[in-house]
Amino acid sequence: MERYITGRYVAIDWTDAVRLAQLDNTALEEIRHRQNVELLHRTDWWAWWSDERLTTAIGLPDDLRPDQLSADAESLISEVWESLQIRPQCGWTMLANVTRISERELLQTSIAVSDSLSSQWEKLTVLFRDGEMGVLYKHHRQNEAEYKCNILYELPQLQESHLI
């Protein structure tokens, strides 16, 4: 399979790539092209590829819907993708390799009333595709204007008084 990426869309053939490039004003020479990639998983909003690249799913044919990632991997990727976080600190590949979240532990929750900011830290014990167990930390931060979700390898230094 081939993949073409314009400024806002993704296509699997050149004709669609040209059409989508006209929609988002991407110059033809700026269309990014990759041969010999396989679409492994796709939601309505994003797509995961065999070259460990996460792209938008906008522009892909509706009937092209492989689902090789676990439900927990899809959920974690979607939480970060749908937030204003550019990418998770742990990387998309690590999230794609999650088979199951086996335990969730709430570490910290805070709400600042003055600017309606809420923040939450969670420790996730996960099982990876290779059978190894690991720990990831999920941080949500939300106010009236934005929502961010990040997933990290290590927990940053938190004051003990903030842990519950």
Side-chain angles (χ1 to χ4, degrees):
M1 178 180 293
E2 296 186 70
R3 179 183 65 217
Y4 299 88
I5 301 174
T6 70
R8 294 186 181 164
Y9 305 107
V10 65
I12 57 171
D13 66 52
W14 178 248
T15 304
D16 276 343
V18 170
R19 180 182 61 80
L20 295 169
Q22 290 172 341
L23 292 174
D24 68 7
N25 296 315
T26 300
L28 295 182
E29 62 273 6
E30 292 176 9
I31 296 173
R32 291 166 285 171
H33 175 245
R34 181 76 187 244
Q35 293 181 348
N36 302 318
V37 291
E38 182 182 349
L39 179 60
L40 299 177
H41 194 91
R42 187 241 175 123
T43 69
D44 288 339
W45 301 108
W46 55 265
W48 181 249
W49 300 83
S50 59
D51 62 348
E52 299 185 338
R53 176 85 190 262
L54 188 72
T55 69
T56 183
I58 301 172
L60 291 174
D62 286 338
D63 62 345
L64 192 57
R65 293 209 171 257
D67 62 347
Q68 293 186 23
L69 300 184
S70 72
D72 284 342
E74 180 179 320
S75 176
L76 291 171
I77 291 170
S78 290
E79 283 188 79
V80 177
W81 179 267
E82 294 166 6
S83 80
L84 292 175
Q85 186 73 29
I86 295 172
R87 70 183 56 81
Q89 182 268 341
C90 69
W92 297 116
T93 301
M94 179 163 283
L95 296 183
N97 283 314
V98 169
T99 300
R100 183 180 83 244
I101 299 171
S102 60
E103 185 179 339
R104 293 175 178 266
E105 179 185 348
L106 183 61
L107 298 178
Q108 174 194 19
T109 299
S110 62
I111 298 173
V113 178
S114 61
D115 64 352
S116 300
L117 177 70
S118 68
S119 177
Q120 181 178 41
W121 283 94
E122 251 184 303
K123 177 181 175 182
L124 307 174
T125 303
V126 299
L127 177 65
F128 293 106
R129 284 181 195 249
D130 64 6
E132 294 290 320
M133 295 294 290
V135 173
L136 297 173
Y137 296 93
K138 183 164 78 169
H139 181 234
H140 303 262
R141 193 181 68 182
Q142 184 170 358
N143 64 27
E144 293 173 0
E146 67 181 27
Y147 169 73
K148 282 193 174 184
C149 178
N150 195 0
I151 301 178
L152 305 95
Y153 292 115
E154 296 180 352
L155 186 65
Q157 294 296 321
L158 298 175
Q159 295 177 359
E160 278 190 44
S161 62
H162 289 188
L163 298 177
I164 58 171

